[in-house]
Amino acid sequence: MKGVYFFAGEAAGNLHLYTTHPLLADDQHWNSDPASRNRVMARIAAAHANTVVMSYWGDMPKWSPMALDGSSLPGVLGAAEVNGLVIMPAIEGGSDPKNPRTRQWQFATDFPSPSVHGQIAPGLIARIGRLFRLFHDKMHLWAQLYDHAGEPRYAVQLLHVWSSLPETTDAAFAAAFTHVAKLVEEAFGIRVGFCLDVIGLQPGFMASPHGTGADLRAEPAVLAINGFQSEVFSDKVLTGPKMGPPVDNNASNLETLADWKRSALLDWAATGIPVLLDVSNGMDGRYVWREVGSGFWGDNRDYTEDRWRNWVSQLKGPAIAGITVDTWNGYTEGYAAVPSFEHGDVVTRWLADLLEPDPRHYSHMHYRSGAATHRVYGAICQKWVSLGADRGFGFPTSDEIPALDGRVSYFSDDPSLPQTPNKAIYWSEPTGAHEIHGWIARTYWDLPDQSRLGLPIDDQSTTGIGAISRFARGTIEWFPGQDHGHITYSP
């Protein structure tokens, strides 16, 4: 699955909260110009997405970044169908204490315990019923994912999944998803499953991979873990004071956020539950979250920042079952993927580079100064990521090219010489992927005939007083004080 969050409807009365401003009229006047719907969806399809994760922000239209009318949701379906896309609907709660007469609902107060005539999660079931009525004559457009028994289920994304109900246990919380799915099947005749945006920092029950993972893994109605800006719900974001200036997390905190995200994803993947990687080009809530204190990272109102988009891209690989992008048109928090006045088409181009390969494979297009440079993929990318990628090994300075009977990608860890490699990773089927660097790499590159040594057969390692790399037909050793390595050919 390659999904993109999309908020149906027109630009609403919150333009003063935007930190990213769309360039194209289509992205603000989606309903008043119905022809724009197809153009918007055509751009999403051109970015290599196959699924539109459709959100309308629960029962709270005034919270939505887009104003809804009677054509909004059916319009999404029609435009998606024309462009060969399917829809995974997202359900989000909403509450407004200042307007108690407004219809309100929160997942956390509805799930998992019985609350009305012994029925479990009645509000959630009612909302799935609304989706069924929306899709009833277009069920082929409702995205289906396979459960762990290999059976297809209509997928529903649940945002902000936790429970404020007392005495909720891991087992009861997990089992309730399958219970809800059975009640939905009885009521509407469709088999649904759920992608869960499990979040932390809440005052009640929070699912965790170590505590709840095994129970969730056993439930067929739990299709995947799929966060939405999951790092927001860590304890790692630095924010400013209420009504005060925001904190630039790019300055000193970006690696902490990236490390938390990698660890959280891998912890969930280790449970055996499929994990959909949630990605964005950044976050900028300086206006939306000013009343509680705000921060920003990645691309933002002030400047373009490549590191965050590079680091989330490097999370792709076999531990990931799919990908969702947050979001296509989420302007108010500054992570829109559409062309914008702030970033031109940088984010849209990055999105296409991100989504083009299968997200279950190692494949990364590296960005510098808002521009694509070189793609690293396959076994070389796997090795590069294991060495720390651009943070631990260096950034790519070449595409993957032929080398003897294998392949090679070149890298540099010197930002002052961005086109001058001082490292490389070589791969062939017999030897695998291995790196060389420093004087050993220079010695190898200076050989008039590298085939005499062949490709490296293990990573460069230190010895008691120097370093050594082993090749298919010999070794190169280097000792401190020397400006070249010593070559020994195998007999």
Side-chain angles (χ1 to χ4, degrees):
M1 172 185 156
K2 301 177 183 179
V4 176
Y5 266 89
F6 180 81
F7 297 97
E10 292 275 301
N14 54 1
L15 298 180
H16 63 289
L17 298 176
Y18 281 17
T19 49
T20 294
H21 299 82
L23 275 172
L24 304 178
D26 285 350
D27 294 317
Q28 291 194 75
H29 306 295
W30 191 80
N31 280 333
S32 56
D33 178 13
S36 70
R37 299 171 184 173
N38 286 343
R39 294 193 293 267
V40 169
M41 291 298 165
R43 281 191 278 129
I44 291 177
H48 307 293
N50 55 30
T51 304
V52 174
V53 186
M54 182 180 69
S55 178
Y56 58 99
W57 283 54
D59 295 319
M60 308 302 294
K62 76 183 188 69
W63 282 7
S64 175
M66 313 295 279
L68 296 167
D69 62 26
S71 67
S72 294
L73 302 183
V76 175
L77 271 63
E81 183 171 27
V82 169
N83 288 282
L85 300 165
V86 294
I87 308 289
M88 180 166 74
I91 295 177
E92 180 172 3
S95 61
D96 185 2
K98 296 180 181 179
N99 296 279
R101 294 184 180 181
T102 302
R103 185 170 52 196
Q104 307 191 28
W105 174 77
Q106 289 286 3
F107 180 91
T109 59
D110 190 47
F111 189 96
S113 298
S115 57
V116 177
H117 303 301
Q119 186 186 50
I120 194 169
L124 176 58
I125 294 170
R127 280 152 185 79
I128 296 172
R130 294 181 205 166
L131 293 173
F132 173 70
R133 288 185 286 275
L134 173 66
F135 281 91
H136 76 279
D137 60 346
K138 291 184 178 293
M139 292 298 291
H140 62 287
L141 295 178
W142 192 333
Q144 295 186 75
L145 298 177
Y146 291 101
D147 63 22
H148 64 63
E151 297 295 328
R153 291 175 178 262
Y154 293 105
V156 178
Q157 173 71 39
L158 297 178
L159 290 164
H160 299 175
V161 171
W162 65 286
S163 180
S164 64
L165 300 178
E167 301 180 1
T168 298
T169 65
D170 292 308
F173 188 82
F177 291 105
T178 298
H179 192 170
V180 167
K182 289 179 179 177
L183 293 173
V184 168
E185 188 169 7
E186 292 172 3
F188 308 111
I190 59 171
R191 181 172 294 179
V192 299
F194 303 102
C195 298
L196 310 182
D197 170 36
V198 288
I199 59 175
L201 304 182
Q202 306 306 312
F205 176 88
M206 295 170 288
S208 69
H210 304 294
T212 328
D215 293 306
L216 290 171
R217 174 68 178 85
E219 297 300 331
V222 175
L223 300 175
I225 301 297
N226 187 25
F228 182 90
Q229 294 283 107
S230 54
E231 58 277 1
V232 171
F233 299 98
S234 71
D235 59 354
K236 306 303 180 184
V237 179
L238 300 180
T239 59
K242 295 180 180 180
M243 305 303 292
V247 173
D248 184 352
N249 282 261
N250 292 328
S252 61
N253 195 45
L254 202 62
E255 291 195 6
T256 298
L257 290 175
D259 290 342
W260 178 90
K261 193 174 186 78
R262 174 177 290 278
S263 178
L265 287 165
L266 293 179
D267 283 349
W268 276 112
T271 67
I273 305 170
V275 171
L276 304 180
L277 170 62
D278 67 292
V279 302
S280 74
N281 54 289
M283 176 76 171
D284 190 342
R286 69 182 72 197
Y287 300 137
V288 176
W289 308 114
R290 187 166 177 252
E291 292 183 0
V292 296
S294 63
F296 59 83
W297 59 92
D299 275 354
N300 56 81
R301 189 193 68 176
D302 300 324
Y303 59 90
T304 294
E305 163 65 67
D306 295 293
R307 291 176 299 163
W308 182 255
R309 68 171 126 254
N310 282 331
W311 294 345
V312 296
S313 171
Q314 291 161 17
L315 295 174
K316 295 185 296 183
I320 300 301
I323 192 166
T324 53
V325 178
D326 311 324
T327 68
W328 183 259
N329 55 346
Y331 314 108
T332 51
E333 284 83 26
Y335 47 86
V338 301
S340 68
F341 284 97
E342 287 73 18
H343 304 298
D345 65 349
V346 169
V347 183
T348 308
R349 288 188 284 106
W350 168 71
L351 176 61
D353 287 329
L354 179 82
L355 291 180
E356 183 177 9
D358 188 323
R360 297 170 295 183
H361 298 164
Y362 289 103
S363 181
H364 167 72
M365 175 62 79
H366 200 72
Y367 269 68
R368 286 176 63 87
S369 302
T373 59
H374 303 286
R375 186 175 291 281
V376 191
Y377 60 92
I380 288 178
C381 186
Q382 181 178 5
K383 170 60 69 172
W384 179 61
V385 169
S386 75
L387 295 170
D390 58 319
R391 284 198 280 163
F393 189 69
F395 51 87
T397 63
S398 77
D399 294 332
E400 186 177 302
I401 58 176
L404 299 179
D405 294 325
R407 311 282 292 178
V408 62
S409 287
Y410 293 99
F411 301 85
S412 173
D413 58 5
D414 186 351
S416 67
L417 298 170
Q419 302 304 321
T420 305
N422 58 12
K423 299 181 175 184
I425 299 175
Y426 290 84
W427 171 88
S428 73
E429 190 167 347
T431 60
H434 301 290
E435 64 86 15
I436 58 173
H437 62 271
W439 286 112
I440 287 179
R442 294 189 187 185
T443 301
Y444 185 64
W445 296 337
D446 286 343
L447 286 174
D449 182 8
Q450 293 177 354
S451 65
R452 286 192 63 191
L453 270 179
L455 296 178
I457 59 174
D458 64 9
D459 292 341
Q460 185 169 315
S461 60
T462 58
T463 62
I465 56 174
I468 186 170
S469 282
R470 295 176 174 82
F471 296 80
R473 290 178 286 278
T475 61
I476 299 178
E477 291 183 271
W478 173 82
F479 301 95
Q482 296 184 344
D483 60 1
H484 64 279
H486 177 73
I487 302 171
T488 302
Y489 292 103
S490 300

